[in-house]
Amino acid sequence: MQHTLEEFLRALRAADVKVTPAEAIDAARTVAAVGYADRELFKDALCATLAKSKDEVVRFDQAFETFFTRAPFDLGVPPPPEGESQESDHQTPGLAESPLAQMLLKGDAAGLAQSMEEAADRAGVAEIRLSTQRSRLTRRLLDEMGLAEIEQIIANARRMPDGQGVADRLDAARKGLAAQAQAFVERQHELYASGSGKQLREEMLAKKALNADGGIDPVDLAMMQALVKRMAKRLADRYSRRRHTANRGHLDVRKTLRKSMAHGGVPFEIEWKIKKVDKPSIVAICDVSKSVAAAAQFLLTFLYSLNEVVDRLDAFAFSGRLIPVNAILDDNGVEGAILKVLQTIGFQQTDYGKALEDFVENHIDRVDRHTTVIILGDGRSNFADPRLDLMHLIQQRARAVIWLNPEPESYWGQGDSVMYRYQRFTHVAKQCNTLGQLERIVEDVLRTYSAH
């Protein structure tokens, strides 16, 4: 039964119930204590051991029922007619030597179910990852059970004068067996691969261009927003662990030994090396003109989802004039904020110089040596004055200036782009046109605050 438990733990992981190696050991000890006989006790004991939140309890229940519940094994074949001679059964070549054929003719549900489980192990059905594998694995499962042999026996029976009844019964049972095998593979897909398609889709969306022609499909947009929040949570958890380690400190051997000299070398007083880790203070200035509005929305979603590790976030948006958007984000949420911002300042001619002027006149006090300024935009200012002097001022006051441009670097400097002129006053200027790129850049920002 150890193999059964291991497969169930794998199904739990596929259902997004995190099971660590230590928890797997606890689960094995729990099963050894309660046994498998009492289904409810077995389920409750494992749930108490492995599920760590309300959501995980729900996912545990679903995985448990899918894994341990077996539907009746019904081939849908009526019993043989009364009085039909069994002598023809034994005269059909290969029939008497085939255990599978005998189970099919007798309707041995228990035997067929066990045979299918064993054949599934040999066929590797539990390794299913994609829905497109279902047909191939169903056929492989049937082959492992001996389907080719059954098909040959049916062909032999049809060539015999009195074998038509046996052939019809076996053929009907074969079709029922195929339906049962298909249902079995479907259940394995639900257990082990239901999230694989979604995972592949999310991997594609993480690489999808945020300024793609035609915009982003609403279904993809919802998935991308959820993906951004999970990315942010992953970074927040990672950064929080670093802060915890830094706050706890590391043993300072030299100071500890020095202090122990007063106690005859016994280290009564332990000294720790404490490394101070600042929380990031971020100013985000986002171009929300049509070409980069989607990228701005995801950047703001990302930053607002990092509220556990960001000390202060001041967000601003512009197309022509610049406005603070913290209040708009608080009132409308990140999803609805961009629409509200566009209603306020949208449909204006993009003017980076005017936006920088508004920022310096009204909000430059938000920038100091602890602040990272993140500017998101394509640097296209419709040939207006780019106000490089103001960019220089911001660079002098900030800890770092990072410019994220959704356009490829080969486009910088073409047409009305003044990106190369702005780049001189940034610490980092990178193309950022996918969620994957955005995650890496934000992680780099967080890392700079824990590097010293």
Side-chain angles (χ1 to χ4, degrees), residues 5-72:
L5 179 61
E6 290 173 358
E7 289 299 302
F8 176 58
L9 295 181
R10 196 160 68 86
L12 285 179
R13 293 186 180 104
D16 203 23
V17 177
K18 294 180 175 58
V19 181
T20 65
E23 289 169 343
I25 294 172
D26 289 342
R29 290 172 176 169
T30 299
V31 172
V34 303
Y36 289 88
D38 189 324
R39 177 186 172 91
E40 289 304 315
L41 177 61
F42 171 68
K43 177 181 177 181
D44 291 344
L46 274 183
C47 184
T49 303
L50 300 172
K52 298 169 285 295
S53 67
K54 290 183 179 179
D55 288 340
E56 287 196 354
V57 168
V58 173
R59 291 194 290 270
F60 177 93
D61 286 343
Q62 293 172 344
F64 185 94
E65 293 303 324
T66 303
F67 188 90
F68 287 104
T69 300
R70 298 290 187 271

Side-chain angles (χ1 to χ4, degrees), residues 62-133:
Q62 293 172 344
F64 185 94
E65 293 303 324
T66 303
F67 188 90
F68 287 104
T69 300
R70 298 290 187 271
F73 202 100
D74 183 12
L75 297 177
V77 180
E82 288 290 337
E84 180 176 302
S85 173
Q86 299 297 315
E87 186 179 1
S88 59
D89 294 356
H90 301 289
Q91 293 175 352
T92 303
L95 181 61
E97 295 79 18
S98 172
L100 178 61
Q102 296 300 320
M103 286 189 289
L104 290 174
L105 289 173
K106 295 175 182 176
D108 184 1
L112 288 168
Q114 181 177 352
S115 177
M116 184 170 290
E117 295 274 357
E118 294 169 353
D121 283 341
R122 296 193 298 272
V125 176
E127 302 303 318
I128 187 170
R129 289 295 175 269
L130 302 172
S131 59
T132 52
Q133 295 176 292

Side-chain angles (χ1 to χ4, degrees), residues 419-432:
M419 188 61 214
Y420 281 131
R421 300 176 69 186
Y422 280 134
Q423 187 176 4
R424 290 180 295 160
F425 304 106
T426 68
H427 296 82
V428 176
K430 291 186 177 181
Q431 179 189 0
C432 181

Side-chain angles (χ1 to χ4, degrees), residues 181 194 220 223 236 240 242 256 267 281 302 320 340 342 346 356 373 398 402 449:
S194 59
D220 288 348
M223 289 189 67
S240 295
R242 288 177 182 168
T256 300
S281 175
F302 214 126
K340 187 66 175 179
L342 289 175
L356 290 173
V373 177
I402 299 174
Y449 284 85

Side-chain angles (χ1 to χ4, degrees), residues 181-307:
Q182 184 177 8
F184 184 93
V185 174
E186 288 281 356
R187 188 168 67 87
Q188 300 304 298
H189 178 268
E190 183 180 352
L191 278 171
Y192 301 114
S194 59
S196 297
K198 182 180 178 182
Q199 182 178 354
L200 289 174
R201 183 64 179 159
E202 288 180 347
E203 290 176 0
M204 293 176 60
L205 291 176
K207 301 175 183 177
K208 183 180 179 66
L210 300 179
N211 61 346
D213 294 337
I216 300 174
D217 183 89
V219 176
D220 288 348
L221 181 62
M223 289 189 67
M224 291 170 80
Q225 288 170 342
L227 180 59
V228 165
K229 291 177 181 178
R230 282 203 301 278
M231 286 177 170
K233 186 178 186 305
R234 182 165 62 242
L235 287 183
D237 290 344
R238 187 180 308 163
Y239 181 75
S240 295
R241 285 195 295 271
R242 288 177 182 168
R243 281 185 58 84
H244 178 69
T245 301
N247 290 335
R248 184 180 59 196
H250 302 279
L251 178 66
D252 190 325
V253 177
R254 290 183 179 180
K255 287 185 178 181
T256 300
L257 289 176
R258 203 157 37 237
K259 287 218 171 186
S260 69
M261 293 175 65
H263 308 286
V266 179
F268 283 111
E269 301 178 56
I270 305 299
E271 291 292 328
W272 302 93
K273 294 179 180 179
I274 304 298
K275 181 176 71 173
K276 187 176 185 295
V277 178
D278 295 327
K279 277 192 173 185
S281 175
I282 295 176
V283 167
I285 302 175
C286 300
D287 180 356
V288 292
S289 58
K290 182 178 179 181
S291 59
V292 291
Q297 180 172 352
F298 289 119
L299 173 63
L300 292 175
T301 301
F302 214 126
L303 296 177
Y304 259 68
S305 299
L306 289 170
N307 57 2

Side-chain angles (χ1 to χ4, degrees), residues 342-356:
L342 289 175
Q343 292 173 347
T344 306
I345 59 168
F347 312 109
Q348 300 176 7
Q349 189 175 27
T350 308
D351 189 339
Y352 278 75
K354 177 58 68 176
L356 290 173

